[in-house]
Every structure is written in structure tokens, then in C-alpha cells.
Amino acid sequence: MPYIPHTPEEIRDMLEVVGVPDLDSLFAEIPPALRPQSFDLPKGTTEMAVRTAMERLAAKNRIDMVSFLGGGYYDHYVPAASDMLLSRGEFYTAYTPYQPEASQGTLQAIFEYQTAVTRLLDMECSNAGVYDGGTALYEALMMAVRHTRRKKAVVSATVSPIYRIVLATYTKNLHLDLVVVPHKNGLDDFEALSAAIDGDTAAIVAQNPNFFGNVQDFTELFATAGAKGAVSILSCYPVLQTVLKTPGAMGADIATAEGQSLGLPLSFGGPYLGIMTCKKTMIRQMPGRIAGRTKDNQGRTGYVLTLQAREQHIRRQKATSNICSNQALCALRALINVCLTGNEGLARQAARSIENANYAAWKLCSIPGVSLLNEAPFGNEFAAVFPVNAKQVARTLMDGGIVPGFPLGRYYKGLENALLICCTEKHDRADIDRLARRLEKAL
């Protein structure tokens, strides 16, 4: 709880500058029913009493629940050294490196981050990051539109529905044709996706593992797209790229990801990190900024902004994007996590998560009436089908301290009885056994 040293006179002066009569006016946009009704604090109480009362209110939040919720955001272990390193003043207070000569540390960190994510996704180039995974996917689509000068995008329905909403929202007034190809029982319909790609298609957009958790190989589909002049875009889960066939190995032209799983703790609304990588042939369409390493006239290593396509750097009408910022602190946190965990550590993290998910699937499918949505391979998530409504099952288990997963019926018609269940290395057999017992009792 912060100490705010403003006198009533100072608060009145600030409100006058803002142009509102009182503090309540600052929150006028929030419906009255959603505002705090009362903290029930008597006037003139002590700081210690106020702190105790606020801690009592905060304790009403459920922080003791075991969660199997995934769907694009994952609770992986974050090394203890991460917070210590990230909280150093030179990192914590740094901002955009507009002056390279005064921002060598920040630029080096960005360069090292770019190097790490291109190696992880097996791609050639990366930018310094964007807002989140959904924004990264939109930016990738706009790269493809500029590159091909076409106006159609073929999107698989197995791509995160949250990301597809982002695509639809940002492209609503851009006169783009978004063709969403239905899934086949939670799997990509390769035949239908290939048939939808034609001479007007700017990009094919897919995800691996897909939103249902299934793992598929898009190599042939991307080859088909390339033969028709379309750009191949793959959204992926970065931690699992240490054990799966990478976007680069599949022939993706652009690969994006949500970087939260690389050391960013789960929180209400972020902050998140949009990872963007591409082939070198696409680099001039890349939004944001790209740091490079060079030598000065004395042979010393220096870091610079090699390409600066943000509207702050060039004429607005020539910018590749005006929503491509990212707090470099998020990218730095991902870099610190990758360096602390290492190649072997990330692979173990991925393998343990997959092992836990397979154990959970086996355990739950031993319950009468429970089955998997399909028999295809999956990563650390899978869709389980119940004999009753999954949302009701989820509510029942949440009352008992378990968040069992994500009800798929919210976004997929016909899957009202299906639940998306996620495991990471932080789950143990006891957690999974408890989930199975509670689920069997609820059914």
C-alpha cells in the first residue's frame, strides 16, 4: 500500500488542471454497480489499522486454488534470480533507446533477446517485441498484406479465438477478407485450408500447438501456400518449441508467439510480450524496431537501431505500424529467463509439462463418460469431453478450490461439454489425482 504525500490543496489543484470537480469524477466511466461500495473504515483511524483492514479484504481473494487453466497463458516456474536482476535500476527505469550512444545497455539487451527468440523458433530475424501474442499475429498479417499486396487471409479455426477476435477487430475497416476455415474435431482441416488458398490470398494463419492443444505438422500446407505466392504465418507456444518441430523447420515465413510463458508471471491483464520473427526476405515489413551489432571506427563493438519502422522514427504514413510498442522490460525478462533456464532447462520444462498432461488425460479418461476430443498427439494441453455441460462442471470444481480448465463452448459451438485442460511442470501427480477425484465426484 503506497504512501501518497498529497495535501487536500494539492489534490484540488491537480483536479482543476485535469478539469474535473472531484476524485469521483475521474471514475465516472465505471458503472456505479462495479465501484467499491464501502471499505467500512472510520475516519481518523491509524495507518496500522487501515493496513490491517485492507489486508483482511485482500485475503478474500482465492489464491490457494490449483489451476489447470491454459489457453495461451501458462503458469511456468520463474527462477528466483529473475526478479532480482530485472529490478536493477538501470533496467527497471530504462525507456526507448532513442539515443543509441546513451543506450548501449538497452540496445545490447534487445539484440540478445532477438538472438534468443530467433534461435528458439528457428527463424532468421526478430524485432524487439510488440504488445502481446494477439497483436503480434495481427502485425504478421499486415506484413503479409504489404508484402503480397493482396487482401485475403485464410485463418484456421484452431487458432486462438482470442487472437481471431483481435484480427477481426483490427482489420474491420481495412477491407480485408478473413476466411476462417472450420476445424475437424479440434484438428486443422488441411484439405480445406489448402483449397481456400488462391491467387488473392496474402497469408495462411495457423497455430501449433493449436488452441485445443493438438500438435500438427504444417510443412506441406506452407509449401502449398508458398507455391501460390501466399505468406505462411504460424503462432506458437515458445516453451514447447524446444521439443517440437519449429516454425522454421516447417517453412513458416513469419512466426509469432505470446512470450508470457518465458518468465513473465501470470497477472490480471498482463503485461504480456508479443514475439515476432520472420525470414530475412520479410524483414523490411517488420514493425517496431530492430537492434543490430556493429563496430565503430576504432573497432569497438557497438549496438544500434538497424531498422526503425515506428511512427516515432519516420514519417507516419511510411510507418509499418503505430501500435507496435513494447515495454522492453518484458523482453528483457524473457531473455533473463531463457538464459537462466538454458536450452536443457527449457526442454525439461516442456517435457515435464507434456508428461503431466498425458498423465492427466489418462487419469481423467479412466472416469466413466469422459473421453478425449480426438486421438491426435497433444502438448501440455488437451480437450476432454464430459457427458454434461463443461461450464457447470468447472463451476462445481472451482467451489472446491480447483480451476479445472477452460470451457470450450464459450467460443466453439457444439463443444459445450468440452473442457481445455492444461498442465505445466508446476503440477504434480497429487494435483492431478485430486482433479480426477473431484471430477469423478462431480460427474
Side-chain angles (χ1 to χ4, degrees):
M1 191 164 62
Y3 173 63
I4 304 174
H6 298 309
T7 66
E9 291 75 18
E10 289 172 333
I11 293 174
R12 188 166 53 249
D13 291 342
M14 288 188 286
L15 290 173
E16 185 177 344
V17 171
V18 175
V20 295
D22 50 43
L23 287 173
D24 289 339
S25 300
L26 295 174
F27 306 98
E29 296 298 320
I30 302 176
L34 299 180
R35 300 178 199 171
Q37 301 305 307
S38 172
F39 291 111
D40 195 25
L41 293 172
K43 291 185 178 181
T45 191
T46 66
E47 179 180 330
M48 185 170 64
V50 171
R51 182 180 292 274
T52 300
M54 299 304 288
E55 288 173 349
R56 189 182 303 117
L57 283 173
K60 292 184 178 182
N61 290 321
R62 293 296 304 271
I63 60 173
D64 60 333
M65 302 179 80
V66 176
S67 178
F68 293 88
L69 189 64
Y73 309 96
Y74 304 98
D75 186 21
H76 287 290
Y77 180 74
V78 179
S82 180
D83 285 337
M84 185 277 293
L85 292 171
L86 200 73
S87 62
R88 290 180 61 90
E90 59 268 42
F91 296 141
Y92 207 65
T93 60
Y95 188 57
T96 298
Y98 289 117
Q99 294 179 276
E101 67 278 7
S103 305
Q104 285 297 291
T106 300
L107 286 168
Q108 181 177 353
I110 292 174
F111 178 81
E112 299 291 355
Y113 159 80
Q114 292 170 183
T115 303
V117 296
T118 51
R119 288 177 177 175
L120 185 61
L121 273 56
D122 194 21
M123 300 294 287
E124 294 176 332
C125 305
S126 167
N127 67 6
V130 293
Y131 280 128
D132 60 12
T135 305
L137 198 60
Y138 161 73
E139 296 287 9
L141 176 56
M142 296 313 297
M143 286 176 63
V145 169
R146 292 191 296 270
H147 183 75
T148 63
R149 300 182 184 275
R150 298 175 180 178
K151 293 284 189 175
K152 174 183 173 183
V154 176
V155 184
S156 174
T158 66
V159 171
S160 167
I162 301 168
Y163 291 178
R164 286 189 282 114
I165 290 172
V166 172
L167 292 180
T169 301
Y170 277 132
T171 62
K172 183 177 182 180
N173 297 314
L174 297 181
H175 308 292
L176 297 182
D177 182 18
L178 295 182
V179 179
V180 178
V181 177
H183 66 92
K184 289 180 66 175
N185 211 34
L187 299 174
D188 290 83
D189 188 340
F190 287 121
E191 186 175 341
L193 287 167
S194 297
I197 302 171
D198 56 27
D200 296 324
T201 304
I204 173 72
V205 182
Q207 180 174 318
N208 190 56
N210 67 25
F211 191 72
F212 300 92
N214 294 116
V215 176
Q216 293 178 269
D217 189 347
F218 293 89
T219 304
E220 291 187 13
L221 178 64
F222 289 168
T224 299
K228 296 182 179 180
V231 173
S232 298
I233 302 172
L234 188 64
S235 175
C236 62
Y237 177 5
V239 170
L240 295 195
Q241 298 314 301
T242 54
V243 295
L244 299 181
K245 189 173 182 179
T246 62
M250 291 187 197
D253 297 301
I254 306 172
T256 66
E258 169 55 61
Q260 176 274 323
S261 61
L262 297 177
L264 277 70
L266 287 169
S267 187
F268 186 77
Y272 295 132
L273 165 65
I275 294 174
M276 290 199 72
T277 63
C278 69
K279 290 182 177 178
K280 192 174 182 178
T281 53
M282 301 285 296
I283 192 170
R284 288 200 170 272
Q285 302 300 336
M286 184 79 87
R289 55 180 180 259
I290 299 172
R293 184 170 63 190
T294 186
K295 298 281 187 182
D296 67 7
N297 57 11
Q298 297 181 40
R300 296 173 299 184
T301 297
Y303 296 90
V304 297
L305 286 175
T306 304
L307 292 175
Q308 306 174 57
R310 305 172 75 210
E311 78 284 356
Q312 291 98 324
H313 297 125
I314 61 178
R315 283 181 290 179
R316 187 178 183 87
Q317 64 270 26
K318 289 186 175 294
T320 53
S321 174
N322 63 356
I323 59 164
C324 56
S325 291
N326 171 255
Q327 291 183 1
L329 196 67
C330 296
L332 177 59
R333 179 154 196 147
L335 173 64
I336 289 172
N337 180 77
V338 168
C339 292
L340 288 173
T341 309
N343 291 344
E344 186 176 343
L346 284 172
R348 287 181 178 179
Q349 200 173 49
R352 183 64 183 272
S353 300
I354 294 171
E355 289 170 4
N356 285 340
N358 276 269
Y359 175 74
W362 171 76
K363 194 76 177 178
L364 297 187
C365 287
S366 66
I367 300 172
V370 178
S371 62
L372 296 181
L373 180 62
N374 58 59
E375 296 299 323
F378 56 86
N380 68 321
E381 284 180 286
F382 61 93
V385 181
F386 305 143
V388 295
N389 186 280
K391 190 173 183 180
Q392 297 300 325
V393 173
R395 285 176 177 170
T396 300
L397 267 67
M398 286 175 67
D399 290 340
I402 297 177
V403 182
F406 184 87
L408 289 168
R410 178 174 181 178
Y411 291 113
Y412 293 96
K413 187 177 180 179
L415 294 181
E416 287 75 18
N417 290 6
L419 191 73
L420 183 65
I421 300 168
C422 165
C423 292
T424 70
E425 76 284 356
K426 291 180 70 173
H427 293 98
D428 56 29
R429 294 290 173 95
D431 293 330
I432 297 169
D433 291 344
R434 181 182 169 199
L435 170 65
R437 288 194 303 271
R438 295 293 178 86
L439 179 61
E440 185 170 19
K441 184 177 179 181
L443 294 178

